[in-house]
Amino acid sequence: MTVIPYGRQSIDAADIERVAEVLRSDWITQGPAIERFEALVSDYCGGAHAVAVSSGTAALHIAAIAAGLGPGKVLWTVPNTFVASANCARYCGAAVDFVDIDLATGNLSVDALRAKLDAGPPPDVLVPVHFAGRPCDMAAVHDLALAHGFRVIEDASHAIGARYGDHAIGGCAHSDMAVFSFHPVKIVTTAEGGMVMTRSAEVAARLRRLRSHGIDPGAAFAGDEPDGPWSYAQAELGFNYRMTDMQAALGASQMGRIEDFIARRHHLAARYDRALAGLPLRLPDRGGEVRSALHLYVVGIDRQRTNVSRRQVFDGLVERGIRPQVHYIPVHLQPYYRDQGFAAGQFPAAERHYAEALSLPLFAGLTEDDQDRVVAALHELLA
Ligand SMILES: *Cc1c(COP(=O)(O)O)cnc(C)c1O
């Protein structure tokens, strides 16, 4: 019996052929496949500029620099996220603070954000996270950003393919930048990979420079003629965050199936909704004028209706050949952030979310038979 993971990639023969074509070509790192992949994602997201990089974390890092973060500046994000959403500020020498979440969605609480803005100075940058692929209330975030003068970088690592009203997430209709991750458990994959989206051509050019050592291919030395055709000018301190052409070819091939991936996730989520309805679980809130990308299907173990703990359910699933996951250990409780003065009790909704949350297997390649095994195991454990 193979173990059913909480998430995994879906790779088909065409994906493999596209990668093999790159391997047989002249370019294996940042070349024509990158441009094709960027153009596909840009079109898919309504025309925003797309800058491919080596990971979602690298995307967050250069987005944080492009948003002006540095020593003396402050980034706010939610505790219910992966550490990278906060770490990008620390890479730049900026400080991190958190805004609590709505328990129902796991997303940034706009009420908590408003209260924090009323109580003290605004951040320089806010990073809302579209948890599990469900868009945050971006219109409210955008209004507050305009009123208080902060920038917004969406951590859309879970959310390529999500829609907020008429807008594709990644189109940056309500933000300065948005960041995707193409890690294998995410909606589409490039093995490792990420992307920064922005509507600003200027910011996109800066991001392209930052991903490649701070070198501007077109730029000459200030005021000087280039030495010759070999010249390149490093304008600022950048990184090697380039994506390879093999990865981009895989990503471009996967983009051809993104709507199928998301439809499949919705089909499976609706099956979970029906099959788990009678159990002492809080099922994910999937309503509203948004389309979730459904990266995760997160249930809450409702301790008012069962004596079975989240740990018992987790272990019981593992014994039955199922490997769920927990999203997320609140970032402010990580030892690194406790060392910066954060403590338990500061963000109660995120802490309660963590105490009860369990991410069930959900990925495009999950079969209904395997999903039924998960459902049967939960009925056994929670009966
Ligand atoms: C996956 C993820 C990241 C980091 O992406 P990588 O591609 O793994 O570097 C950042 N934020 C969130 C919310 C994620 O889920």
Side-chain angles (χ1 to χ4, degrees):
M1 194 166 68
T2 53
V3 173
I4 305 171
Y6 84 93
R8 64 158 292 159
Q9 68 276 16
S10 297
I11 304 287
D12 72 6
D15 291 340
I16 293 168
E17 188 44 43
R18 296 291 92 76
V19 174
E21 280 166 14
V22 170
L23 285 167
R24 287 190 288 262
S25 78
D26 290 337
W27 288 89
I28 57 172
T29 191
Q30 191 169 300
I34 295 283
E35 283 168 34
R36 276 199 301 276
F37 182 37
E38 289 179 340
L40 280 171
V41 177
S42 170
D43 284 351
Y44 184 76
C45 294
H49 302 273
V51 180
V53 290
S54 52
S55 70
T57 302
L60 282 162
H61 184 188
I62 61 172
I65 297 172
L69 284 183
K73 307 282 175 141
V74 180
L75 173 148
W76 291 357
T77 188
V78 285
N80 183 38
T81 186
F82 186 55
V83 291
S85 313
N87 287 348
C88 62
R90 303 295 305 135
Y91 297 151
C92 307
V96 172
D97 201 354
F98 299 95
V99 181
D100 211 351
I101 61 164
D102 273 330
L103 196 57
T105 60
N107 274 339
L108 176 90
S109 159
V110 171
D111 289 342
L113 176 60
R114 226 177 252 122
K116 201 175 174 82
L117 288 166
D118 286 344
D124 297 284
V125 172
L126 177 73
V127 176
V129 179
H130 305 305
F131 180 71
R134 186 189 209 282
C136 296
D137 185 351
M138 289 308 296
V141 165
H142 184 59
D143 287 348
L144 290 167
L146 291 180
H148 293 267
F150 57 83
R151 304 207 175 203
V152 177
I153 302 171
E154 299 167 73
D155 185 339
S157 294
H158 299 183
I160 191 169
R163 297 188 68 84
Y164 178 81
D166 294 333
H167 304 288
I169 291 294
C172 303
H174 301 95
S175 67
D176 297 280
M177 284 173 267
V179 163
F180 294 136
S181 165
F182 305 121
H183 181 278
V185 296
K186 307 285 166 70
I187 307 292
V188 300
T189 192
T190 60
E192 296 284 351
M195 201 170 266
V196 189
M197 308 297 296
T198 177
R199 282 177 297 148
S200 160
E202 221 168 87
V203 171
R206 176 96 192 275
L207 292 165
R208 289 183 204 289
R209 190 164 82 182
L210 284 166
R211 79 172 161 190
S212 202
H213 307 280
I215 291 172
D216 225 329
F221 293 88
D224 294 343
E225 282 300 302
D227 291 351
W230 58 85
S231 271
Y232 52 86
Q234 184 195 341
E236 64 176 320
L237 190 62
F239 309 89
N240 180 354
Y241 281 165
R242 291 188 300 265
M243 177 182 275
T244 69
D245 261 32
M246 284 100 75
Q247 291 169 299
L250 176 55
S253 183
Q254 294 249 308
M255 282 304 291
R257 304 207 299 295
I258 185 167
E259 289 302 315
D260 296 342
F261 289 159
I262 289 178
R264 178 72 183 166
R265 286 173 179 272
H266 277 262
H267 171 74
L268 293 167
R271 286 185 95 242
Y272 272 139
D273 288 347
R274 289 192 296 273
L276 303 177
L279 294 178
L281 296 173
R282 273 188 300 100
L283 300 185
D285 179 338
R286 308 209 288 107
E289 292 294 297
V290 296
R291 176 173 90 156
S292 175
L294 273 169
H295 165 51
L296 301 172
Y297 191 92
V298 181
V299 299
I301 312 296
D302 185 350
R303 294 308 302 275
Q304 312 206 302
R305 292 193 286 154
T306 180
N307 289 324
V308 185
S309 70
R310 190 263 309 274
R311 180 63 194 262
Q312 285 171 313
V313 179
F314 187 101
D315 290 347
L317 290 173
V318 170
E319 277 164 26
R320 289 161 178 77
I322 296 155
R323 186 61 173 75
Q325 187 53 280
V326 172
H327 296 93
Y328 281 102
I329 300 168
V331 177
H332 69 286
L333 299 182
Q334 293 290 348
Y336 176 80
Y337 285 98
R338 284 184 196 256
D339 283 350
Q340 300 189 24
F342 294 102
Q346 277 187 290
F347 303 101
E351 292 171 29
R352 177 157 169 219
H353 186 273
Y354 169 57
E356 301 176 348
L358 191 66
S359 300
L360 303 182
L362 183 68
F363 47 94
L366 179 66
T367 64
E368 292 188 2
D369 283 351
D370 277 354
Q371 186 184 30
D372 290 344
R373 256 176 68 196
V374 177
V375 167
L378 287 167
H379 276 269
E380 231 176 279
L381 291 162
L382 288 162

